[in-house]
Amino acid sequence: MPHSSLLKKLTLVVIGMFAFAFALVPLYDVFCDVTGLNGKPSLEVATESNKVLTSRTVDVSFTTHSQSNAPFEVNSRQYSVNVSPGEMVEVKFSAKNLSSEARVMQAVPSVSPGKAAKYLHKMACFCFDQQPFSANQEVEFTLVFYVDTELPEEIEELTLSYTVFDISEATASNTVAAKQQAG
């Protein structure tokens, strides 16, 4: 068999590619943690701050955008706020379903610079849950957060960005699957 050597090499290449693809996500997470490029804030409700550093302020700005033609418009009522680390802050967001059908929205947050993500703590956020909307419905959400007093001194400003996704089809198929399993 003149091709058995080639077949063995190709098989090893395929196994190597599979192993690399399988390891890519954990490797990426390690890379982000090491370099501070993560930008993924916690999606858990934070505990309330009990200390405020009035000697320092941090500028926190907000951006939102819809992904993949999601029929939602989400905006913060304030472009930015100037806060003291540890100070509890409320920011209002308006969200509107631009569709003539009921839809479900999911907001995914990120923080820039990435190494500041672990210092932004949210007490209340529309990103914690899926948000159902009626056709053309407009809703106001309140974000309650604080910047940790341990935020490194060199970080004077950060941006909290939300990417908004339309997850209506995914939630509908999950509901149908759950009903089929129950029935």
Side-chain angles (χ1 to χ4, degrees):
M1 298 232 318
H3 298 292
S4 64
S5 174
L6 178 62
L7 182 58
K8 287 179 185 177
K9 289 179 184 176
L10 289 175
T11 301
L12 287 175
V13 167
V14 169
I15 291 170
M17 290 171 59
F18 178 77
F20 179 73
F22 185 76
L24 199 54
V25 171
L27 288 173
Y28 178 76
D29 287 341
V30 168
F31 172 79
C32 289
D33 288 342
V34 168
T35 61
L37 295 174
N38 186 336
K40 295 185 283 187
S42 172
L43 289 178
E44 297 193 14
V45 177
T47 57
E48 192 168 336
S49 172
N50 57 5
K51 178 178 163 187
V52 177
L53 292 180
T54 55
S55 61
R56 178 178 177 205
T57 60
V58 178
D59 187 48
V60 180
S61 58
F62 309 96
T63 64
T64 60
H65 68 279
S66 297
Q67 188 68 21
S68 302
N69 300 320
F72 299 105
E73 183 176 277
V74 180
N75 295 300
S76 64
R77 300 271 189 222
Q78 299 168 267
Y79 172 75
S80 67
V81 292
N82 202 302
V83 303
S84 294
E87 173 187 6
M88 300 296 293
V89 181
E90 285 190 13
V91 177
K92 301 287 186 186
F93 282 78
S94 65
K96 183 172 183 178
N97 175 6
L98 303 174
S99 169
S100 58
E101 302 173 1
R103 309 301 292 174
V104 180
M105 176 186 89
Q106 180 69 58
V108 177
S110 65
V111 176
S112 178
K115 67 181 180 178
K118 67 181 180 181
Y119 300 102
L120 181 76
H121 304 291
K122 295 185 289 309
M123 305 289 292
C125 183
F126 56 97
C127 64
F128 290 156
D129 301 303
Q130 299 171 350
Q131 303 295 334
F133 283 80
S134 304
N136 300 306
Q137 180 183 16
E138 187 166 356
V139 177
E140 183 173 90
F141 295 112
T142 302
L143 166 67
V144 180
F145 75 96
Y146 66 94
V147 175
D148 198 301
T149 56
E150 299 298 316
L151 180 72
E153 289 287 332
E154 69 269 10
I155 300 176
E156 297 175 356
E157 58 186 47
L158 58 95
T159 301
L160 176 57
S161 177
Y162 289 100
T163 303
V164 177
F165 294 90
D166 181 0
I167 59 167
S168 304
E169 292 177 19
T171 53
S173 63
N174 288 341
T175 303
V176 170
K179 285 181 182 177
Q180 289 174 345
Q181 288 178 351

